[in-house]
Amino acid sequence: MTDQTLTVRDNRTGEEYELEITDGTVRAADLGKIGKTDDEPGLAVYDPGFTNTASTRSAVTYIDGEKGILEYRGYPIEQLAEHSTYLEVAYLLIHGELPTKEQHDQWVHEITFHTFVHENLKSLMQGFRYDAHPMGMLLSGVGALSTFYPEARAITDEQVRHEQIVRMIAKMPTLGAWSFRHAQGKPYIYPDNDLTYTENFLSMLFKMSEQKYDPDPRLSKALEVLFILHADHEQNCSTNAVRSVGSSQVDPYSAVSAGIAALYGPLHGGANEAVLRMLKRIGSKDKVPEFIEGVKNGDERLMGFGHRVYKNYDPRAKIIKKAVDDVFEVTGVNPLLEIAQELEKIALEDEYFVQRKLYPNVDFYSGLIYEALQFPPEMFTVLFAIPRTSGWLAQWVELVDDKEQKIARPKQIYTGGRGLDFVPAAQRWA
Ligand SMILES: CC(C)(COP(=O)(O)OP(=O)(O)OC[C@H]1O[C@@H](n2cnc3c(N)ncnc32)[C@H](O)[C@@H]1OP(=O)(O)O)[C@@H](O)C(=O)NCCC(=O)NCCS
């Protein structure tokens, strides 16, 4: 279509350029032709944090933040959370289509039978200090997996790739649970392959002397829902880290450990912990109006509200709210829930929040569930990383197969000095 272009006039030279618009974007390479001479580079885009730069074409996850829509491979998150399982969703994300019965059974079988890790990896985990952060342990454990499976470097071999994907999804709960047990000085529990993915995770987390751990189905279902909600969220910081590191064609364990490292940071995976801290600080329901006033005066921030992308109710928050009820039915009501509900009620009616389109996000309730399940705050990001592994791997497969992708190598605007004469230290300090 001829009108799908952008005419740019470079006022430095008076020259005009016509750039093609495709899918609402112009190619940075086309901009690079503007003003390019033998001595000068062409125009570039300055975009710290990639806030308005598309780095890839992707068919994995669709988000419409204005309307509050989240879809995996075209399927609404609400339907998946209600009717699917985490492993089926993982299959969908990675393969692009829902599995047939045979494909599903084979997938679940493979993942179930790869949950064990090499004993040396157990020794590695045991080598951490008694108070090691579980996310640091997970990050190292996943990175170390690359040394146990050196064949993983053959990233274009589909069979090899499949094996690593299965291994990583399978072993993540094992490593995550062991990082949790480590801090408590409790023995690591081996996987129980009779259990489902989330049941087995609960068993490795909480089993003590019983012969067989029998998780409450309401808890394993709630965890299943949380895992589905966290499985992917398109091009965020950690996914970008996986893609960026993966673009060097390193093995997927190393690429995913980069994603875990990104998630470790408080701006990415730490919001639900901040929600809990806030609720504890408020202390009781009657203090909520006072706190809301503080937020409106700019003295406080209502954690778990607002989102960079969602300017409507975060679709995941709606689903989590339902899971909260199930969990508290088992664990007993956490007094913080009352405060959270009151905060939500007042904020959703208040002009300040309505006007700014501030709605609860996924973190508003997930921290409460995790706390009810007796996870310490340091475990919250581990509980995020385990299910996000399928999303990272789906994005990684897409990257590896994408002929347009290159090694990630952004430009910079150099602001430092030039051509300085180096004076050796002995002379400078003389
Ligand atoms: C997530 C977040 C960083 C998104 O920020 P953003 O899209 O850049 O939104 P802005 O910071 O531009 O905020 C727009 C307005 O809403 C206000 N606002 C945004 N989030 C707010 C919150 N949680 N509490 C109170 N006010 C908030 C801002 O102060 C600003 O008001 P102003 O226009 O009067 O200055 C922000 O909403 C936030 O800090 N939320 C709390 C932390 C959180 O839950 N993070 C997890 C996200 S998954």
Side-chain angles (χ1 to χ4, degrees):
M1 266 201 286
T2 48
D3 60 347
Q4 290 298 302
T5 59
L6 175 75
T7 304
V8 182
R9 186 187 150 86
D10 185 345
N11 291 325
R12 296 171 301 180
T13 58
E15 225 172 303
E16 283 197 359
Y17 300 81
E18 196 148 302
L19 311 184
E20 209 175 301
I21 299 177
T22 314
D23 298 323
T25 62
V26 292
R27 287 190 166 257
D30 286 348
L31 283 176
K33 293 174 194 152
I34 297 177
K36 184 169 170 42
T37 65
D38 288 345
D39 306 323
E40 286 292 323
L43 209 58
V45 179
Y46 179 57
D47 187 10
F50 310 127
T51 56
N52 195 29
T53 297
S55 63
T56 186
R57 294 174 171 280
S58 180
V60 180
T61 290
Y62 175 79
I63 300 177
D64 182 333
E66 287 297 328
K67 299 199 181 110
I69 295 174
L70 169 61
E71 294 173 355
Y72 296 158
R73 299 286 188 183
Y75 294 95
I77 192 70
E78 293 83 358
Q79 293 181 20
L80 294 171
E82 192 166 346
H83 302 296
S84 188
T85 60
Y86 172 68
L87 284 189
E88 188 182 32
V89 167
Y91 184 99
L92 172 69
L93 284 168
I94 286 161
H95 297 87
E97 287 176 1
L98 289 169
T100 61
K101 168 118 181 58
E102 289 73 39
Q103 288 167 335
H104 173 267
D105 294 351
Q106 170 74 13
W107 175 246
V108 172
H109 174 84
E110 282 185 286
I111 291 184
T112 306
F113 283 84
H114 278 91
T115 47
F116 280 76
V117 299
H118 194 288
E119 281 293 295
N120 288 1
L121 195 54
K122 185 175 158 194
S123 313
L124 175 99
M125 299 286 279
Q126 282 170 327
F128 280 93
R129 245 177 73 138
Y130 66 95
D131 59 351
H133 195 293
M135 198 62 170
M137 292 180 67
L138 185 71
L139 164 59
S140 316
V142 174
L145 281 174
S146 72
T147 67
F148 290 88
Y149 307 108
E151 71 273 22
R153 276 177 246 152
I155 59 167
T156 51
D157 182 320
E158 284 200 22
Q159 186 50 35
V160 171
R161 210 155 72 179
H162 174 76
E163 278 162 19
Q164 315 321 313
I165 289 170
V166 165
R167 280 180 177 140
M168 222 177 315
I169 294 175
K171 295 180 198 313
M172 212 63 169
T174 312
L175 296 177
W178 287 2
S179 71
F180 171 71
R181 305 278 296 200
H182 186 81
Q184 303 175 328
K186 289 181 181 160
Y188 296 177
I189 301 295
Y190 286 108
D192 178 345
N193 290 350
D194 291 339
L195 300 175
T196 67
Y197 193 76
T198 52
E199 286 171 348
N200 180 39
F201 183 46
L202 286 168
S203 165
M204 291 187 287
L205 288 164
F206 300 121
K207 185 170 185 284
M208 287 307 291
S209 61
E210 58 271 47
Q211 274 298 315
K212 191 158 182 81
Y213 185 79
D214 189 19
D216 190 302
R218 288 166 296 184
L219 294 188
S220 51
K221 173 65 188 158
L223 205 54
E224 193 93 51
V225 169
L226 283 166
F227 277 13
I228 292 172
L229 299 184
H230 285 94
D232 196 54
H233 212 232
E234 53 121 305
Q235 307 310 313
N236 49 75
C237 176
S238 58
T239 302
N240 183 61
V242 171
R243 280 181 172 267
S244 188
V245 171
S247 76
S248 74
Q249 301 191 346
V250 75
D251 69 88
Y253 299 103
S254 303
V256 166
S257 61
I260 299 175
L263 196 57
Y264 201 170
L267 290 188
H268 194 357
N272 47 15
E273 194 182 330
V275 172
L276 270 192
R277 261 190 271 118
M278 172 190 76
L279 295 177
K280 285 181 179 161
R281 201 156 50 81
I282 297 173
S284 62
K285 196 174 145 185
D286 55 303
K287 300 268 173 52
V288 168
E290 192 187 317
F291 180 80
I292 294 273
E293 278 314 302
V295 172
K296 286 157 66 174
N297 295 338
D299 302 332
E300 301 274 5
R301 189 148 268 245
L302 180 47
M303 301 313 290
F305 261 65
H307 194 278
R308 179 53 53 79
V309 179
Y310 295 117
K311 300 301 172 196
N312 200 321
Y313 215 105
D314 179 340
R316 299 167 300 170
K318 276 192 200 151
I319 303 165
I320 279 202
K321 255 176 96 168
K322 283 194 219 152
V324 166
D325 295 336
D326 291 339
V327 170
F328 284 139
E329 217 179 275
V330 182
T331 62
V333 174
N334 182 329
L336 298 178
L337 177 65
E338 258 204 333
I339 304 174
Q341 285 169 332
E342 185 69 9
L343 271 175
E344 181 176 358
K345 194 171 126 256
I346 296 186
L348 288 180
E349 287 164 1
D350 194 296
E351 195 49 28
Y352 175 94
F353 299 92
V354 174
Q355 227 177 40
R356 290 171 176 77
K357 300 186 177 177
L358 299 171
Y359 296 89
N361 60 49
V362 68
D363 296 306
F364 191 65
Y365 283 108
S366 63
L368 279 173
I369 296 188
Y370 296 151
E371 182 167 271
L373 294 173
Q374 297 181 350
F375 290 114
E378 308 83 69
M379 267 303 282
F380 292 4
T381 33
V382 172
L383 294 159
F384 188 159
I386 292 170
R388 182 54 61 87
T389 302
S390 58
W392 286 330
L393 288 168
Q395 302 270 350
W396 172 76
V397 169
E398 196 172 61
L399 166 93
V400 174
D401 285 343
D402 186 347
K403 300 276 178 291
E404 280 199 326
Q405 288 297 330
K406 295 180 162 53
I407 185 165
R409 206 312 185 182
K411 269 185 177 290
Q412 65 167 8
I413 302 169
Y414 179 67
T415 60
R418 292 288 319 281
L420 306 176
D421 268 329
F422 178 74
V423 182
Q427 274 171 261
R428 285 194 330 271
W429 300 336

